[in-house]
């Protein structure tokens, strides 16, 4: 009699039979969501002219989407676990599609801001459920590669947003950048309904409404403070008040989650060294990548003299490197061969080396070659580290909590993005303010250049900014390297602890089997 496949060691489970087709569908939906994080930046002149939008209106058009999305990530992941990941994926697609339609047809700034907020709700559901579905349909042998492809889409969306928006605006009116989402949403709805299997956590059906409210208010407040910091100043009352509110509410969220039987986020996860190590690494990857690009785009435009689209094209090699290497499956192969801790340590070291190369070789107005080298090295590091860390986070959380795990992963990315802009920007500004000519009296580069008296003064200001860029990138390199090595150390310790625990549980079984064999050998023959 032939043993069932589940009981035969030579027939390992291979996941869902249509898993790669499903991955393609959800990555297409995810790409649309990620493009909308940056696509609106290039449409600012059109929005200002056609909707008579003020500077404040434009800021809210951009921030309403990311703010709502970041605030709802954990709640969206928990809802997917409780009520069904396929169901929430369909709801997310529908909300995103309706929001895109309203945004594309908006006749006023208020309508567009409201539509962008609605798109943010759908985006939060999509980003959490797509990663949760990946974890459900792929087995352990293919999961790192699948997560690598999933994270590739994030890099592609980050780089392609301004380029895509610029192309659309060259041929159509600004509303087309939203209406083009509609056919993607319709294809996604049909494909998800037919292909994606339903999965959910059978426990804790009662919703954690207070936890959802606290996490949403807390995360929204913290992200709003991070977004507002560069404009209003980190010591301003508005920033300090919203940051303090966010921290206080999140502390209340932690206390509440420790009390209830079925929490949205089990705080005991943070006792797991594997989880903590992956969390630290994920924050620092986003920290180095986003903080660096935020400063480089200014350097390319104000120091090297490139236009916005040209600057976007010159930062794209980092994302393209990530895309190529992840599609080739480099990260997955290295994890199988070397192990997660080694790959994360190597990836974070490459990311730090890329930041240092930009500081040493890409500063000044000498050209773009040194910066290109640094961006490619950063891309290699991100392609190695990001999939390994996402897989470590998801594998440290029980499969029935995959949605919450995806929400945590998204929250970490948002936090790391804001932290990178805030910290590296503060380092650059401090150095720039110390070096800029006192007669200029302006702390920002555009204002200083506008107030400069003659070409010599402008050259001096550019040199001060380049010096600030060098210091900030070196500071980022040190932080990324130290954090990466710490993350790898924690992951290695966790793996050793798991191996020791597995060995100690097998020993009694082996002793029992040995005793049983001895009894059979000395007993009477059958």
């Amino acid at each position: 009699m032939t043993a069932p496949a589940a009981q035969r060691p030579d027939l390992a489970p291979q996941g869902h039979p249509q898993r790669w087709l499903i991955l393609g569908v959800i990555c297409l939906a995810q790409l649309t969501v990620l493009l909308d994080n940056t696509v609106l930046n290039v449409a600012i002149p059109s929005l200002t002219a056609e909707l008579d939008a003020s500077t404040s209106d434009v800021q809210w058009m951009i921030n309403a989407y990311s703010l709502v999305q970041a605030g709802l990530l954990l709640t969206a992941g928990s809802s997917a676990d409780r009520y069904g990941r396929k169901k929430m994926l369909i709801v997310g697609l529908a909300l995103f599609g309706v929001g895109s339609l309203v945004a594309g047809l908006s006749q006023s700034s208020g309508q567009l801001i409201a539509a962008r907020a609605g798109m943010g709700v759908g985006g939060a559901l999509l980003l959490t459920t797509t990663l949760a579905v990946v974890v459900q349909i792929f087995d352990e042998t293919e999961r790192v590669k699948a997560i690598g492809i999933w994270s590739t889409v994030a890099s592609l969306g980050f780089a392609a947003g301004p380029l895509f928006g610029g192309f659309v605006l060259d041929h159509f009116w600004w509303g087309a950048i939203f209406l083009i989402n509609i056919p993607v949403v319709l294809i996604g709805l049909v494909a998800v309904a037919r292909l994606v299997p339903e999965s959910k956590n059978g426990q804790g059906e009662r919703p954690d409404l207070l936890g959802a409210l606290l996490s949403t208010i807390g995360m929204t407040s913290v992200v709003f403070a991070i977004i507002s910091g560069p404009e209003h100043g980190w010591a301003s009352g508005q920033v300090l008040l919203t940051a303090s509110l966010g921290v206080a509410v999140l502390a209340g969220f932690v206390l509440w989650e420790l009390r209830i039987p079925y929490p949205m986020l089990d705080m005991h996860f943070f006792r797991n060294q594997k989880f903590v190590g992956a969390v630290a690494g994920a924050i620092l990857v986003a920290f180095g990548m986003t903080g660096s690009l935020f400063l480089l785009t200014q350097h390319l435009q104000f120091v090297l003299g490139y236009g916005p689209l040209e600057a976007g094209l010159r930062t794209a090699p980092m994302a393209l490197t990530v895309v190529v290497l992840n599609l080739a499956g480099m990260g997955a192969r290295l994890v199988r061969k070397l192990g997660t801790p080694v790959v994360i340590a190597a990836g974070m070291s490459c990311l730090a080396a890329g930041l240092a190369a930009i500081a040493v070789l890409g500063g000044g107005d000498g050209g773009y070659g040194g910066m290109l080298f640094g961006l490619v090295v950063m891309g290699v590091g991100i392609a190695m580290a990001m999939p390994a860390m996402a897989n470590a986070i998801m594998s440290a959380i029980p499969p029935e909590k995959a949605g919450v795990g995806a929400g945590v992963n998204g929250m970490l990315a948002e936090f790391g993005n804001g932290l990178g802009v805030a910290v590296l920007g503060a380092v650059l500004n401090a150095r720039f303010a110390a070096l800029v000519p006192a007669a200029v009296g302006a702390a920002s580069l555009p204002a200083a250049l506008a107030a400069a008296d003659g070409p010599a003064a402008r050259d001096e200001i550019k040199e001060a900014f380049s010096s600030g860029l060098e210091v900030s990138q070196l500071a980022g390199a040190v932080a990324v390297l130290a954090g990466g090595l710490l993350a790898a150390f924690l992951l290695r310790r966790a793996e050793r602890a798991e191996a020791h625990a597995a060995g100690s549980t097998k020993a009694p079984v082996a002793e029992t089997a040995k005793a049983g064999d001895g009894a059979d050998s000395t007993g009477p023959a059958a």
Side-chain angles (χ1 to χ4, degrees):
M1 179 178 178
T2 304
Q7 299 176 5
R8 291 178 58 186
D10 59 319
L11 292 179
Q14 293 296 310
H16 193 278
Q18 294 179 302
R19 57 195 178 279
W20 294 108
L21 181 58
I22 294 171
L23 178 64
V25 170
I26 60 179
C27 281
L28 180 63
Q30 181 200 9
L31 178 61
T32 307
V33 173
L34 293 167
L35 283 172
D36 275 87
N37 275 309
T38 56
V39 73
L40 203 60
N41 293 336
V42 295
I44 290 174
S46 300
L47 295 170
T48 303
E50 298 189 28
L51 294 182
D52 194 24
S54 65
T55 301
S56 176
D57 290 337
V58 171
Q59 289 173 340
W60 275 108
M61 289 172 192
I62 295 172
N63 293 338
Y65 181 72
S66 56
L67 198 61
V68 171
Q69 183 174 286
L72 288 175
L73 281 170
L74 193 56
T75 301
S78 176
S79 299
D81 288 337
R82 290 174 186 265
Y83 305 118
R85 298 172 186 106
K86 176 178 180 177
K87 187 183 301 179
M88 290 298 105
L89 188 53
I90 291 174
V91 171
L93 279 166
L95 288 175
F96 190 78
V98 171
S100 298
L101 179 62
V102 175
L105 301 178
S106 294
Q107 300 297 312
S108 68
S109 297
Q111 291 177 8
L112 183 54
I113 292 169
R116 291 275 290 171
M119 291 171 66
V121 178
L125 285 167
L126 287 173
L127 290 179
T128 51
T129 49
T130 51
L131 182 55
V133 169
V134 169
V135 172
Q136 295 293 321
I137 63 176
F138 286 91
D139 67 358
E140 294 182 0
T141 61
E142 294 179 325
R143 189 172 298 150
V144 178
K145 182 178 181 181
I147 290 177
I149 294 174
W150 180 88
S151 62
T152 296
V153 175
S155 300
L156 185 61
F158 184 82
L163 304 179
F164 172 77
F167 173 80
V168 171
L169 289 172
D170 280 345
H171 296 82
F172 306 99
W173 97 110
W174 65 265
I177 62 178
F178 299 111
L179 296 182
I180 203 167
N181 296 335
I182 305 299
V184 177
V185 166
L186 294 176
I187 293 170
L189 285 170
V190 173
V192 168
R194 295 186 56 138
L195 296 174
V196 175
E198 183 61 282
S199 61
K200 63 179 179 178
N201 180 12
Q203 294 182 327
E205 287 292 335
R206 185 176 179 181
D208 178 13
L209 296 179
L210 181 58
L213 180 64
L214 291 174
S215 70
T216 302
I217 293 175
M219 278 301 299
T220 302
S221 300
V222 169
V223 174
F224 180 75
I226 290 173
I227 290 174
S228 303
E231 178 189 359
H232 298 286
W234 296 104
S236 67
Q238 175 178 321
V239 173
L240 291 177
L241 179 63
T242 52
S244 301
L245 173 65
V247 171
V249 172
L250 288 177
F253 169 73
V254 171
L255 294 175
W256 172 252
E257 295 299 287
L258 289 170
R259 292 183 54 190
I260 60 175
Y262 297 112
M264 284 177 55
L265 177 61
D266 189 345
M267 293 300 156
H268 296 95
F269 291 152
F270 291 93
R271 297 179 182 175
N272 185 330
Q273 291 184 358
K274 185 177 182 181
F275 180 78
V276 172
V279 161
I283 290 175
L284 286 165
V285 166
F287 172 94
M289 179 176 69
T290 307
S292 174
L293 289 182
F294 171 73
L295 301 179
L296 285 180
T297 51
Q298 297 181 58
H299 181 79
L300 285 165
Q301 293 182 68
F302 295 115
V303 177
L304 299 184
Y306 295 112
L309 185 57
E310 292 175 314
L313 286 171
R314 281 164 177 78
T315 58
M318 185 186 73
L320 294 177
T321 301
V322 176
V323 170
V324 171
L325 294 180
N326 276 340
L327 289 179
M330 180 196 72
R333 288 197 298 271
L334 288 176
V335 167
R336 286 196 298 269
K337 186 174 182 179
L338 303 176
T340 299
V342 174
V343 173
I344 287 178
M348 298 293 275
S349 297
C350 282
L351 179 55
L355 287 166
I358 290 174
V360 176
L361 303 175
D365 57 0
Y368 172 67
M371 189 180 297
L372 174 62
F373 174 75
L375 287 168
V376 171
V377 174
M378 286 178 65
V380 173
I382 293 167
M384 294 171 67
M386 275 189 72
M389 283 184 298
N391 184 63
I393 291 173
M394 299 304 291
S395 62
I397 291 179
E400 64 270 14
K401 292 285 187 180
V404 169
V408 170
N409 189 67
M411 284 171 54
L412 297 176
E414 291 287 345
F415 183 68
N417 291 342
L419 196 65
V421 171
V423 174
L424 298 189
V427 172
L428 184 146
N429 287 336
R431 178 68 173 170
F432 178 70
L435 295 177
V436 74
V440 173
S444 69
L445 178 60
L449 289 173
D453 184 15
R458 280 194 288 273
D459 289 341
E460 191 173 350
I461 290 168
K462 290 180 180 180
E463 288 178 7
F465 185 85
S466 298
S467 177
L469 176 72
E470 178 179 341
V471 173
S472 65
Q473 302 288 44
L474 288 174
V478 171
V480 167
L481 180 61
L485 295 178
L486 174 62
F489 172 73
L490 293 175
L491 287 166
R492 174 65 75 189
R493 283 187 58 180
E495 286 187 354
R496 288 177 177 171
E498 289 176 358
H500 178 74
S504 63
T505 56
K506 288 179 180 178
V509 176
E511 291 296 328
T512 303
K514 183 177 181 181
D517 291 342
D520 290 341
S521 63
T522 57

